[in-house]
Amino acid sequence: LAIELAAARLPMLGVQALHDMLAQRLALLWHRRADLPPRQQALQAALDWSCGLLSTAELHALQGLSIFAAGFRLDSALSVIGSMPEANALDLLASLVDRSLVHVEQRDPPRYRLLETTRLHAAQGLALSDVADSARARWRAAMAELARACESEFWWLDDETWIGRFLSDQPNLEAAYDECIEQREVGSAGAIGQALHRLDDMRSLGGAVRQRKRSALALAMDPASD
């Protein structure tokens, strides 16, 4: 539907102008056709209709997942969905996957993502809801926990495995760091900042230099060393 609605705008806007305006896609992508139901005439209406089929718990789960700036891990998703038994949170995530509102990005280990249009719509709903603050707090806590795992695993995983495990989460960590600073959550900001420093450092250094730096860091952290 989004492609059809965008194509209908091409004669008026052209490719570049349409591309430049896609940040406002929920308002931009619509057309009037008397032979179609409302949900097939506008992207906003289509998403409103889809979300209207969700239970309250499913809707809140989807809105919480819209906070992620990029694809996300299973454990991070379950943490953000809410304070409930893990099996219940997993059921909510599975329901959203079944409805194609959440997509499986990778299966082993599992990662998920929201299409950008879905994410924008869910984020709008979250901003107007009474669960936004609690969902964002859970997200920041989940990202701080991920950052601590990033730091811990740095010391026992080989370089390529470590980078491969955490690099995809860099956009999420960057967004969470900025919000932790804004919320003055010093401990979480420190943990996430350390993880981001490690990622930037490891990506920019060559393998031999990385190994020397890691050895120096290990020596510096050893209380038995002089």
Side-chain angles (χ1 to χ4, degrees):
L1 177 63
I3 293 172
E4 291 178 5
L5 295 174
R9 292 290 190 186
L10 276 174
M12 180 179 70
L13 297 174
V15 173
Q16 187 59 52
L18 178 63
H19 175 271
D20 293 344
M21 295 176 70
L22 282 180
Q24 313 298 325
R25 68 194 69 185
L26 294 179
L28 174 69
L29 299 182
W30 61 271
H31 62 75
R32 293 189 179 92
R33 286 186 54 181
D35 59 326
L36 293 176
R39 69 175 183 271
Q40 294 181 24
Q41 296 184 41
L43 194 57
Q44 177 82 46
L47 289 164
D48 287 344
W49 179 79
S50 293
C51 290
L53 300 176
L54 301 177
S55 68
T56 300
E58 289 169 336
L59 181 60
H60 287 169
L62 179 64
Q63 291 173 344
L65 296 176
S66 74
I67 304 172
F68 287 102
F72 45 87
R73 299 160 175 251
L74 175 60
D75 55 348
S76 298
L78 297 182
S79 295
V80 171
I81 283 174
S83 302
M84 62 182 71
E86 185 174 283
N88 293 0
L90 189 60
D91 285 343
L92 290 174
L93 179 61
S95 178
L96 295 174
V97 170
D98 290 343
R99 294 171 182 269
S100 297
L101 291 168
V102 174
H103 295 261
V104 178
E105 186 175 63
Q106 175 182 301
R107 296 191 181 278
D108 188 21
R111 287 186 66 86
Y112 307 88
R113 66 184 177 92
L114 273 63
L115 296 181
E116 183 61 13
T117 300
T118 304
R119 192 188 72 80
L120 289 172
H121 183 271
Q124 286 182 359
L126 179 66
L128 297 173
S129 74
D130 58 359
V131 299
D133 289 345
S134 58
R136 301 199 77 91
R138 289 194 299 271
W139 169 71
R140 294 193 300 273
M143 292 300 94
E145 187 64 27
L146 175 61
R148 293 183 183 102
C150 178
E151 175 67 12
S152 174
E153 294 183 24
F154 171 81
W155 297 102
W156 58 272
L157 289 177
D158 66 85
D159 290 350
E160 298 308 317
T161 300
W162 183 85
I163 292 173
R165 182 169 294 187
F166 293 101
L167 184 60
S168 296
D169 285 297
Q170 186 164 358
N172 294 321
L173 292 168
E174 288 173 346
Y177 177 79
D178 291 341
E179 191 164 307
C180 286
I181 292 293
E182 181 182 323
Q183 295 296 320
R184 298 182 179 276
E185 295 176 354
V186 177
S188 293
I192 296 171
Q194 177 69 10
L196 289 172
H197 173 74
R198 292 256 190 246
L199 283 166
D200 287 340
D201 206 26
M202 296 293 279
R203 291 175 66 192
S204 63
L205 297 176
V209 176
R210 286 202 303 265
Q211 187 55 48
R212 292 190 189 99
K213 189 164 186 176
R214 178 177 289 197
S215 299
L217 284 168
L219 183 62
M221 295 177 66
D222 184 357
S225 62
D226 295 331

